[in-house]
Every structure is written in C-alpha cells, then in structure tokens.
Amino acid sequence: MSPGVEALLEQARAGMTRLTPQETVQAATRGALVIDTRTDAQRREQGDLPGVIVIDRTVLEWRLDPASDWRIPEATGYDLEIVVVCRQGYSSSLAAASLRALGLHRATDMIGGVEAWRSAGLPFSDQTADVRP
C-alpha cells in the first residue's frame, strides 16, 4: 500500500530550508535562480513574477543539470542556489527535491507559491516572461 502523496511531500521537504516570498526576493538579489514552473494558464491567471525564469516542469531537470546537453546557460554548477516557485508551494517542493537528487544541493522552494507572493503584496512583472523551452 502506498504511503500517499502527503508522505511523499514530507519526505521531499525533509532537510530543505524553504523560503518565504520575502526571502525569495532576497535570494534573487544575491544571485539565486528563481524558477517558475507554473503552467501558461496559471501564469496568465495569476501574473508573472519579476526576474524569474519560466521552465516547464516536464523539462526542469534537463534545463538545470549542469551536466546536461540541454541545460540553460545559467546552469553553471551544482552549487547554484535555486528557488522553485509554483502556484501554491506543493509541486515546487517535489521539483526542488528532484533537483537536490541531481546534486543541486542548494535547491529549495517558496512556501505558499505565487498565492503567498500575492498575499504578501509583492509586485508582479509588467515585462514579458523569460520562458525557456
């Protein structure tokens, strides 16, 4: 019998220091890659965050693994600070755990996702999103 998705989520978050929206802004200021994995529909509905890189969840590991032939230019090493963002802070935890399993040991996610960002009164972008295929 499966332990369930809640147990999987708890396991994914074990040992990970998750960031608040305000801490995510601070992380970006010091050079962290903030990665938005929301769908196009979610981004249209909720808006885009300033300064983030949008990467579809289905290719996330290939784009951020420094050893991958399909990495983005910013994926320069395994010591990168990466903050994954999603709609509510659930799938981003699983994504961050997957990045950590690849060796990106500083990967984490933002608590509460974009909904928490909005609740914190943080700004949304008026620029075209930096979408990486």
Side-chain angles (χ1 to χ4, degrees):
M1 184 166 165
S2 169
V5 71
E6 292 301 323
L8 180 64
L9 191 59
E10 184 177 326
Q11 180 182 13
R13 291 175 174 168
M16 187 171 16
T17 302
R18 302 176 73 218
L19 303 182
T20 66
Q22 295 84 352
E23 290 169 333
T24 299
V25 170
Q26 293 168 358
T29 300
R30 66 178 172 258
L33 294 181
V34 180
I35 307 296
D36 187 345
T37 61
R38 290 176 299 148
T39 65
D40 291 339
Q42 289 171 335
R43 290 185 15 258
R44 276 193 305 275
E45 176 188 326
Q46 291 182 302
D48 286 309
L49 304 184
V52 304
I53 298 172
V54 177
I55 299 177
D56 190 273
R57 177 63 191 95
T58 61
V59 295
L60 182 70
E61 291 82 358
W62 286 267
R63 299 301 180 261
L64 294 178
D65 181 358
S68 170
D69 290 338
W70 301 280
R71 70 186 174 279
I72 62 173
E74 294 86 350
T76 57
Y78 291 99
D79 196 41
L80 286 173
E81 183 178 14
I82 299 171
V83 183
V84 184
V85 176
C86 69
R87 182 180 186 110
Q88 295 177 320
Y90 295 104
S91 67
S92 58
S93 293
L94 299 175
S98 181
L99 294 175
R100 291 168 71 90
L102 278 175
L104 293 157
H105 63 98
R106 296 176 67 200
T108 189
D109 75 321
M110 185 172 76
I111 300 165
V114 174
E115 289 183 7
W117 182 278
R118 180 176 305 283
S119 293
L122 293 169
F124 284 81
S125 180
D126 58 359
Q127 304 294 313
T128 303
D130 183 1
V131 178
R132 307 291 177 92

